[in-house]
PDB file of all heavy atoms in Angstrom:
ATOM      1  N   TYR G 238       1.794   8.435  -6.745  1.00  0.00           N
ATOM      2  CA  TYR G 238       3.178   8.843  -6.955  1.00  0.00           C
ATOM      3  C   TYR G 238       3.259  10.284  -7.455  1.00  0.00           C
ATOM      4  O   TYR G 238       2.516  10.675  -8.343  1.00  0.00           O
ATOM      5  CB  TYR G 238       3.854   7.916  -7.972  1.00  0.00           C
ATOM      6  CG  TYR G 238       4.063   6.515  -7.465  1.00  0.00           C
ATOM      7  CD1 TYR G 238       3.072   5.548  -7.601  1.00  0.00           C
ATOM      8  CD2 TYR G 238       5.244   6.156  -6.831  1.00  0.00           C
ATOM      9  CE1 TYR G 238       3.251   4.264  -7.127  1.00  0.00           C
ATOM     10  CE2 TYR G 238       5.433   4.872  -6.358  1.00  0.00           C
ATOM     11  CZ  TYR G 238       4.431   3.926  -6.507  1.00  0.00           C
ATOM     12  OH  TYR G 238       4.615   2.657  -6.020  1.00  0.00           O
ATOM     13  N   LEU G 239       4.194  11.037  -6.880  1.00  0.00           N
ATOM     14  CA  LEU G 239       4.501  12.368  -7.393  1.00  0.00           C
ATOM     15  C   LEU G 239       5.724  12.314  -8.302  1.00  0.00           C
ATOM     16  O   LEU G 239       5.846  13.099  -9.234  1.00  0.00           O
ATOM     17  CB  LEU G 239       4.756  13.352  -6.239  1.00  0.00           C
ATOM     18  CG  LEU G 239       3.558  13.625  -5.316  1.00  0.00           C
ATOM     19  CD1 LEU G 239       3.931  14.646  -4.250  1.00  0.00           C
ATOM     20  CD2 LEU G 239       2.348  14.102  -6.104  1.00  0.00           C
ATOM     21  N   THR G 240       6.646  11.379  -8.011  1.00  0.00           N
ATOM     22  CA  THR G 240       7.831  11.189  -8.861  1.00  0.00           C
ATOM     23  C   THR G 240       7.403  10.442 -10.123  1.00  0.00           C
ATOM     24  O   THR G 240       6.862   9.341 -10.033  1.00  0.00           O
ATOM     25  CB  THR G 240       8.914  10.372  -8.130  1.00  0.00           C
ATOM     26  OG1 THR G 240       9.305  11.052  -6.950  1.00  0.00           O
ATOM     27  CG2 THR G 240      10.121  10.133  -9.020  1.00  0.00           C
ATOM     28  N   PRO G 241       7.628  11.039 -11.311  1.00  0.00           N
ATOM     29  CA  PRO G 241       7.304  10.308 -12.550  1.00  0.00           C
ATOM     30  C   PRO G 241       8.333   9.190 -12.741  1.00  0.00           C
ATOM     31  O   PRO G 241       9.514   9.455 -12.909  1.00  0.00           O
ATOM     32  CB  PRO G 241       7.415  11.375 -13.637  1.00  0.00           C
ATOM     33  CG  PRO G 241       8.256  12.459 -13.045  1.00  0.00           C
ATOM     34  CD  PRO G 241       8.152  12.375 -11.561  1.00  0.00           C
ATOM     35  N   MET G 242       7.876   7.947 -12.689  1.00  0.00           N
ATOM     36  CA  MET G 242       8.796   6.812 -12.742  1.00  0.00           C
ATOM     37  C   MET G 242       8.789   6.159 -14.111  1.00  0.00           C
ATOM     38  O   MET G 242       7.741   5.928 -14.691  1.00  0.00           O
ATOM     39  CB  MET G 242       8.424   5.798 -11.654  1.00  0.00           C
ATOM     40  CG  MET G 242       8.539   6.363 -10.259  1.00  0.00           C
ATOM     41  SD  MET G 242       7.918   5.240  -8.991  1.00  0.00           S
ATOM     42  CE  MET G 242       9.136   3.935  -9.098  1.00  0.00           C
ATOM     43  N   GLU G 243       9.995   5.868 -14.608  1.00  0.00           N
ATOM     44  CA  GLU G 243      10.139   5.186 -15.891  1.00  0.00           C
ATOM     45  C   GLU G 243      10.631   3.767 -15.649  1.00  0.00           C
ATOM     46  O   GLU G 243      11.461   3.521 -14.772  1.00  0.00           O
ATOM     47  CB  GLU G 243      11.150   5.928 -16.775  1.00  0.00           C
ATOM     48  CG  GLU G 243      10.714   7.332 -17.165  1.00  0.00           C
ATOM     49  CD  GLU G 243      11.764   8.045 -17.999  1.00  0.00           C
ATOM     50  OE1 GLU G 243      12.684   7.362 -18.501  1.00  0.00           O
ATOM     51  OE2 GLU G 243      11.670   9.275 -18.134  1.00  0.00           O
ATOM     52  N   ASP G 244      10.118   2.816 -16.430  1.00  0.00           N
ATOM     53  CA  ASP G 244      10.541   1.415 -16.322  1.00  0.00           C
ATOM     54  C   ASP G 244      12.042   1.301 -16.536  1.00  0.00           C
ATOM     55  O   ASP G 244      12.600   1.938 -17.424  1.00  0.00           O
ATOM     56  CB  ASP G 244       9.810   0.541 -17.350  1.00  0.00           C
ATOM     57  CG  ASP G 244       8.335   0.389 -17.022  1.00  0.00           C
ATOM     58  OD1 ASP G 244       7.950   0.669 -15.868  1.00  0.00           O
ATOM     59  OD2 ASP G 244       7.570   0.011 -17.924  1.00  0.00           O
ATOM     60  N   GLY G 245      12.681   0.475 -15.718  1.00  0.00           N
ATOM     61  CA  GLY G 245      14.112   0.221 -15.878  1.00  0.00           C
ATOM     62  C   GLY G 245      15.009   1.278 -15.273  1.00  0.00           C
ATOM     63  O   GLY G 245      16.229   1.169 -15.354  1.00  0.00           O
ATOM     64  N   THR G 246      14.455   2.320 -14.664  1.00  0.00           N
ATOM     65  CA  THR G 246      15.256   3.380 -14.044  1.00  0.00           C
ATOM     66  C   THR G 246      15.210   3.217 -12.531  1.00  0.00           C
ATOM     67  O   THR G 246      14.144   3.009 -11.956  1.00  0.00           O
ATOM     68  CB  THR G 246      14.714   4.777 -14.428  1.00  0.00           C
ATOM     69  OG1 THR G 246      14.714   4.891 -15.849  1.00  0.00           O
ATOM     70  CG2 THR G 246      15.568   5.882 -13.830  1.00  0.00           C
ATOM     71  N   TYR G 247      16.392   3.317 -11.900  1.00  0.00           N
ATOM     72  CA  TYR G 247      16.479   3.205 -10.437  1.00  0.00           C
ATOM     73  C   TYR G 247      16.444   4.612  -9.831  1.00  0.00           C
ATOM     74  O   TYR G 247      17.112   5.529 -10.311  1.00  0.00           O
ATOM     75  CB  TYR G 247      17.769   2.489 -10.021  1.00  0.00           C
ATOM     76  CG  TYR G 247      17.988   2.499  -8.531  1.00  0.00           C
ATOM     77  CD1 TYR G 247      17.323   1.603  -7.708  1.00  0.00           C
ATOM     78  CD2 TYR G 247      18.834   3.434  -7.943  1.00  0.00           C
ATOM     79  CE1 TYR G 247      17.498   1.630  -6.336  1.00  0.00           C
ATOM     80  CE2 TYR G 247      19.018   3.469  -6.572  1.00  0.00           C
ATOM     81  CZ  TYR G 247      18.346   2.564  -5.775  1.00  0.00           C
ATOM     82  OH  TYR G 247      18.518   2.603  -4.419  1.00  0.00           O
ATOM     83  N   TYR G 248      15.668   4.789  -8.763  1.00  0.00           N
ATOM     84  CA  TYR G 248      15.538   6.080  -8.092  1.00  0.00           C
ATOM     85  C   TYR G 248      16.004   5.964  -6.645  1.00  0.00           C
ATOM     86  O   TYR G 248      15.611   5.031  -5.942  1.00  0.00           O
ATOM     87  CB  TYR G 248      14.076   6.541  -8.110  1.00  0.00           C
ATOM     88  CG  TYR G 248      13.539   6.753  -9.500  1.00  0.00           C
ATOM     89  CD1 TYR G 248      12.983   5.696 -10.226  1.00  0.00           C
ATOM     90  CD2 TYR G 248      13.594   7.995 -10.106  1.00  0.00           C
ATOM     91  CE1 TYR G 248      12.496   5.883 -11.508  1.00  0.00           C
ATOM     92  CE2 TYR G 248      13.115   8.199 -11.394  1.00  0.00           C
ATOM     93  CZ  TYR G 248      12.571   7.136 -12.089  1.00  0.00           C
ATOM     94  OH  TYR G 248      12.104   7.313 -13.371  1.00  0.00           O
ATOM     95  N   GLU G 249      16.837   6.912  -6.224  1.00  0.00           N
ATOM     96  CA  GLU G 249      17.286   6.914  -4.835  1.00  0.00           C
ATOM     97  C   GLU G 249      16.217   7.438  -3.896  1.00  0.00           C
ATOM     98  O   GLU G 249      16.205   7.120  -2.715  1.00  0.00           O
ATOM     99  CB  GLU G 249      18.568   7.745  -4.690  1.00  0.00           C
ATOM    100  CG  GLU G 249      19.758   7.100  -5.376  1.00  0.00           C
ATOM    101  CD  GLU G 249      21.045   7.873  -5.172  1.00  0.00           C
ATOM    102  OE1 GLU G 249      21.025   8.902  -4.471  1.00  0.00           O
ATOM    103  OE2 GLU G 249      22.066   7.435  -5.721  1.00  0.00           O
ATOM    104  N   GLU G 250      15.317   8.261  -4.437  1.00  0.00           N
ATOM    105  CA  GLU G 250      14.237   8.819  -3.623  1.00  0.00           C
ATOM    106  C   GLU G 250      12.985   8.924  -4.476  1.00  0.00           C
ATOM    107  O   GLU G 250      13.052   9.327  -5.638  1.00  0.00           O
ATOM    108  CB  GLU G 250      14.645  10.201  -3.101  1.00  0.00           C
ATOM    109  CG  GLU G 250      13.679  10.799  -2.128  1.00  0.00           C
ATOM    110  CD  GLU G 250      14.230  12.062  -1.470  1.00  0.00           C
ATOM    111  OE1 GLU G 250      15.441  12.343  -1.600  1.00  0.00           O
ATOM    112  OE2 GLU G 250      13.436  12.764  -0.828  1.00  0.00           O
ATOM    113  N   ILE G 251      11.856   8.537  -3.909  1.00  0.00           N
ATOM    114  CA  ILE G 251      10.583   8.581  -4.631  1.00  0.00           C
ATOM    115  C   ILE G 251       9.557   9.308  -3.766  1.00  0.00           C
ATOM    116  O   ILE G 251       9.301   8.914  -2.620  1.00  0.00           O
ATOM    117  CB  ILE G 251      10.095   7.154  -4.980  1.00  0.00           C
ATOM    118  CG1 ILE G 251      11.093   6.494  -5.935  1.00  0.00           C
ATOM    119  CG2 ILE G 251       8.693   7.197  -5.590  1.00  0.00           C
ATOM    120  CD1 ILE G 251      10.831   5.047  -6.232  1.00  0.00           C
ATOM    121  N   ALA G 252       8.991  10.381  -4.323  1.00  0.00           N
ATOM    122  CA  ALA G 252       8.002  11.180  -3.593  1.00  0.00           C
ATOM    123  C   ALA G 252       6.599  10.634  -3.855  1.00  0.00           C
ATOM    124  O   ALA G 252       6.234  10.336  -4.993  1.00  0.00           O
ATOM    125  CB  ALA G 252       8.085  12.641  -4.028  1.00  0.00           C
ATOM    126  N   LEU G 253       5.835  10.510  -2.775  1.00  0.00           N
ATOM    127  CA  LEU G 253       4.444  10.093  -2.853  1.00  0.00           C
ATOM    128  C   LEU G 253       3.560  11.259  -2.424  1.00  0.00           C
ATOM    129  O   LEU G 253       4.035  12.209  -1.814  1.00  0.00           O
ATOM    130  CB  LEU G 253       4.188   8.904  -1.916  1.00  0.00           C
ATOM    131  CG  LEU G 253       5.173   7.748  -1.965  1.00  0.00           C
ATOM    132  CD1 LEU G 253       4.844   6.719  -0.896  1.00  0.00           C
ATOM    133  CD2 LEU G 253       5.162   7.101  -3.344  1.00  0.00           C
ATOM    134  N   LYS G 254       2.276  11.158  -2.712  1.00  0.00           N
ATOM    135  CA  LYS G 254       1.379  12.241  -2.303  1.00  0.00           C
ATOM    136  C   LYS G 254       1.361  12.371  -0.783  1.00  0.00           C
ATOM    137  O   LYS G 254       1.260  13.459  -0.245  1.00  0.00           O
ATOM    138  CB  LYS G 254      -0.035  11.998  -2.832  1.00  0.00           C
ATOM    139  CG  LYS G 254      -0.960  13.140  -2.479  1.00  0.00           C
ATOM    140  CD  LYS G 254      -2.273  13.096  -3.188  1.00  0.00           C
ATOM    141  CE  LYS G 254      -3.072  14.346  -2.816  1.00  0.00           C
ATOM    142  NZ  LYS G 254      -4.388  14.349  -3.397  1.00  0.00           N
ATOM    143  N   ASN G 255       1.446  11.239  -0.081  1.00  0.00           N
ATOM    144  CA  ASN G 255       1.409  11.290   1.380  1.00  0.00           C
ATOM    145  C   ASN G 255       2.661  10.676   2.011  1.00  0.00           C
ATOM    146  O   ASN G 255       2.596  10.057   3.071  1.00  0.00           O
ATOM    147  CB  ASN G 255       0.157  10.579   1.907  1.00  0.00           C
ATOM    148  CG  ASN G 255       0.178   9.094   1.598  1.00  0.00           C
ATOM    149  OD1 ASN G 255       0.833   8.653   0.660  1.00  0.00           O
ATOM    150  ND2 ASN G 255      -0.538   8.312   2.378  1.00  0.00           N
ATOM    151  N   GLY G 256       3.810  10.865   1.357  1.00  0.00           N
ATOM    152  CA  GLY G 256       5.030  10.320   1.938  1.00  0.00           C
ATOM    153  C   GLY G 256       6.242  10.472   1.038  1.00  0.00           C
ATOM    154  O   GLY G 256       6.193  11.126  -0.009  1.00  0.00           O
ATOM    155  N   ASN G 257       7.312   9.829   1.461  1.00  0.00           N
ATOM    156  CA  ASN G 257       8.583   9.915   0.748  1.00  0.00           C
ATOM    157  C   ASN G 257       9.380   8.649   1.054  1.00  0.00           C
ATOM    158  O   ASN G 257       9.520   8.276   2.221  1.00  0.00           O
ATOM    159  CB  ASN G 257       9.349  11.157   1.240  1.00  0.00           C
ATOM    160  CG  ASN G 257      10.449  11.544   0.292  1.00  0.00           C
ATOM    161  OD1 ASN G 257      10.253  11.577  -0.908  1.00  0.00           O
ATOM    162  ND2 ASN G 257      11.627  11.827   0.829  1.00  0.00           N
ATOM    163  N   ILE G 258       9.866   7.987   0.019  1.00  0.00           N
ATOM    164  CA  ILE G 258      10.646   6.759   0.216  1.00  0.00           C
ATOM    165  C   ILE G 258      12.084   7.022  -0.218  1.00  0.00           C
ATOM    166  O   ILE G 258      12.339   7.372  -1.366  1.00  0.00           O
ATOM    167  CB  ILE G 258      10.069   5.567  -0.582  1.00  0.00           C
ATOM    168  CG1 ILE G 258       8.583   5.371  -0.271  1.00  0.00           C
ATOM    169  CG2 ILE G 258      10.860   4.304  -0.294  1.00  0.00           C
ATOM    170  CD1 ILE G 258       8.263   4.993   1.153  1.00  0.00           C
TER     171      ILE G 258
END
Side-chain angles (χ1 to χ4, degrees):
Y238 292 87
L239 296 182
T240 300
M242 298 173 68
E243 296 178 15
D244 290 343
T246 303
Y247 173 80
Y248 298 87
E249 292 183 2
E250 187 171 348
I251 296 173
L253 312 175
K254 183 169 184 183
N255 65 336
N257 197 45
I258 307 296

